[in-house]
Amino acid sequence: AAGVIQSPRHLIKEKRETATLKCYPIPRHDTVYWYQQGPGQDPQFLISFYEKMQSDKGSIPDRFSAQQFSDYHSELNMSSLELGDSALYFCASRGREARDEQFFGPGTRLTVL
Amino acid sequence: AQKVTQAQTEISVVEKEDVTLDCVYETRDTTYYLFWYKQPPSGELVFLIRRNSFDEQNEISGRYSWNFQKSTSSFNFTITASQVVDSAVYFCALSEARGATNKLIFGTGTLLAVQP
């Protein structure tokens, strides 16, 4: 069965650089979530999209932005990177038929030097 | 506000021991979902179970079992005859059942170390 795809899996950036993380949801899933997990922390909700519209916003810094495209994939754009942005970023998708069950991607590990 | 508490930060057991991971939640919603996820050292989040707030039946899946008690707002997870491969961080999570997003609120996780 198809799973959530995230790319890249690993990313190393310097401070003040920008990064773009991509998420490809399971086919026919219309809702995408982004979570950030810092070292030794639990995943924290950042933002979500339903049918290409932002549906909820959590503790996402103003330096970050995201969108969902017409093919339902989503991108998380991060600018002016800081050391504290180093984390595992998860994308999850949910479909209409399986309400409340989110399927997580493998995550993108971002390291900011 | 919704909150999930996992008071056990780390648990260490010897292989074949039984172990219970505690989870206590807070929510004002009458309808909600509870989840357990496993995060092995490789980092991915592995879905284990989802429980609807209206379904208080306990569930068993192989060596795993879950005890949902609405009266005490707890959703505990027991591993029977633990194995080294069970070593991981386990997260309990909560989401509202009605709403636009159903985002997950995670507990802080319990690190389980199973020694051979």
Side-chain angles (χ1 to χ4, degrees), chain A residues 33 37 56 99-100 102, chain B residues 33 35 39 50 101-103:
Chain A
Y33 305 81
Q37 186 180 24
D56 198 0
R99 192 157 180 80
D100 293 315
Q102 296 180 26
Chain B
Y33 286 99
F35 303 80
Q39 187 173 44
R50 175 187 62 181
T101 63
N102 310 102
K103 61 180 178 285

Side-chain angles (χ1 to χ4, degrees), chain B residues 76-104:
Chain B
N76 297 337
F77 172 32
T78 297
I79 302 175
T80 303
S82 59
Q83 300 176 1
V84 173
V85 293
D86 295 327
S87 297
V89 178
Y90 289 85
F91 289 100
C92 181
L94 166 73
S95 79
E96 59 183 9
R98 286 184 296 267
T101 63
N102 310 102
K103 61 180 178 285
L104 291 173

Side-chain angles (χ1 to χ4, degrees), chain B:
Chain B
Q2 297 179 321
K3 184 181 178 183
V4 177
T5 300
Q6 294 180 255
Q8 303 151 310
T9 306
E10 292 185 36
I11 300 176
S12 182
V13 298
V14 177
E15 214 171 12
K16 297 182 185 174
E17 284 185 17
D18 299 346
V19 59
T20 295
L21 309 183
D22 298 333
C23 174
V24 174
Y25 62 92
E26 295 174 31
T27 179
R28 279 180 273 188
D29 296 321
T30 55
T31 306
Y32 50 90
Y33 286 99
L34 296 165
F35 303 80
W36 276 96
Y37 286 87
K38 174 182 180 181
Q39 187 173 44
S42 52
E44 72 270 26
L45 281 169
V46 179
F47 168 80
L48 296 178
I49 190 172
R50 175 187 62 181
R51 174 63 70 224
N52 184 311
S53 56
F54 290 114
D55 180 4
E56 287 194 69
Q57 274 198 333
N58 291 330
E59 182 157 338
I60 297 174
S61 176
R63 296 185 297 108
Y64 295 169
S65 62
W66 290 270
N67 182 359
F68 176 31
Q69 295 202 348
K70 214 167 176 177
S71 60
T72 56
S73 297
S74 65
F75 186 42
N76 297 337
F77 172 32
T78 297
I79 302 175
T80 303
S82 59
Q83 300 176 1
V84 173
V85 293
D86 295 327
S87 297
V89 178
Y90 289 85
F91 289 100
C92 181
L94 166 73
S95 79
E96 59 183 9
R98 286 184 296 267
T101 63
N102 310 102
K103 61 180 178 285
L104 291 173
I105 307 297
F106 286 86
T108 50
T110 296
L111 173 61
L112 174 64
V114 181
Q115 310 296 333

